[in-house]
Amino acid sequence: MAAWRRSPRPSFNTLELVMNTLLKTFAVTFAAAAALTACGGGGNDDDPSPSDRIGVLTITDASVSGLDGVYGNGSLNLTDVEKNNPVGSNPEVCAFKFDGANRVLGEGTAFGDVRYLPNADTVYLMFLNVNGREFSNKQDGTDTQVQRDRDRIQFNRKTFTATDNSGVTLRVSGLVPMRGSRPSGC
């Protein structure tokens, strides 16, 4: 009859080593998750989310082909409007971002960053990305209207110029909604 042998019990030092290793692994995992959440990996106000608000932009008179068209969505993605006065920047602005304006009857998308002065009725500065090309209104508030009572920004054939110094221009008409809860003056 073969002798049956029991494996020796692990020593206290071996158990302590395993427990310390597991504890360190959990601590590192928790710290990484906390860091990602703090810097945006877990979602924050910089990420536009569905708004249940319609946004439509009509782009015309583009000086290069492939950009003209209607871009919109029945639930445009928006961030909250925030009052910002970045260090080294002047003046204080109300700002929000939008995305998800898909091209109707074609491929492409538009998204942007809208900035307007508190208590002002026009857009101060806006960056608009259309099909991968960035445009700006160059701090010219003409042909725009901030309609706080209707929670939206309206554009009336507003000229935007490419930010890559190529001289490419386009005109924008339409509406971009804003979230209803905004800081004072926004």
Side-chain angles (χ1 to χ4, degrees):
M1 183 174 347
W4 182 76
R5 294 174 44 174
R6 272 201 310 181
S7 59
R9 284 187 177 181
S11 70
F12 179 72
N13 289 341
T14 304
L15 287 175
E16 185 179 30
L17 179 64
V18 169
M19 292 295 284
N20 282 340
T21 302
L22 286 173
L23 185 59
K24 287 178 185 175
T25 301
F26 288 134
V28 168
T29 303
F30 179 76
L36 283 174
T37 301
C39 67
N44 61 30
D45 287 342
D46 292 334
D47 300 324
S49 60
S51 66
D52 296 326
R53 295 174 187 260
I54 296 171
V56 177
L57 297 173
T58 302
I59 297 176
T60 58
D61 301 331
S63 59
V64 296
S65 64
L67 299 178
D68 287 353
V70 177
Y71 298 77
N73 191 322
S75 181
L76 201 65
N77 299 326
L78 301 170
T79 62
D80 289 334
V81 176
E82 295 180 346
K83 199 180 277 189
N84 297 327
N85 194 5
V87 175
S89 174
N90 208 7
E92 179 177 56
V93 295
C94 301
F96 70 98
K97 296 178 185 177
F98 70 91
D99 70 17
N102 298 317
R103 189 172 187 178
V104 178
L105 301 176
E107 292 185 25
T109 188
F111 59 91
D113 180 336
V114 181
R115 302 170 193 181
Y116 58 96
L117 301 176
N119 301 310
D121 294 331
T122 61
V123 172
Y124 173 71
L125 178 63
M126 179 172 166
F127 294 94
L128 178 66
N129 189 302
V130 181
N131 295 345
R133 187 171 223 160
E134 185 180 75
F135 295 84
S136 174
N137 70 328
K138 302 292 185 188
Q139 300 181 10
D140 170 16
T142 60
D143 305 322
T144 64
Q145 188 175 23
V146 178
Q147 299 175 342
R148 288 175 186 79
D149 59 332
R150 300 175 108 183
D151 296 329
R152 68 185 191 186
I153 308 286
Q154 183 171 346
F155 300 92
N156 184 21
R157 295 189 41 81
K158 174 70 186 153
T159 300
F160 284 79
T161 304
T163 59
D164 60 7
N165 295 321
S166 64
V168 173
T169 60
L170 50 78
R171 291 189 182 270
V172 177
S173 297
L175 303 170
V176 173
M178 300 185 290
R179 294 207 182 264
S181 58
R182 297 184 297 274
S184 175
C186 291

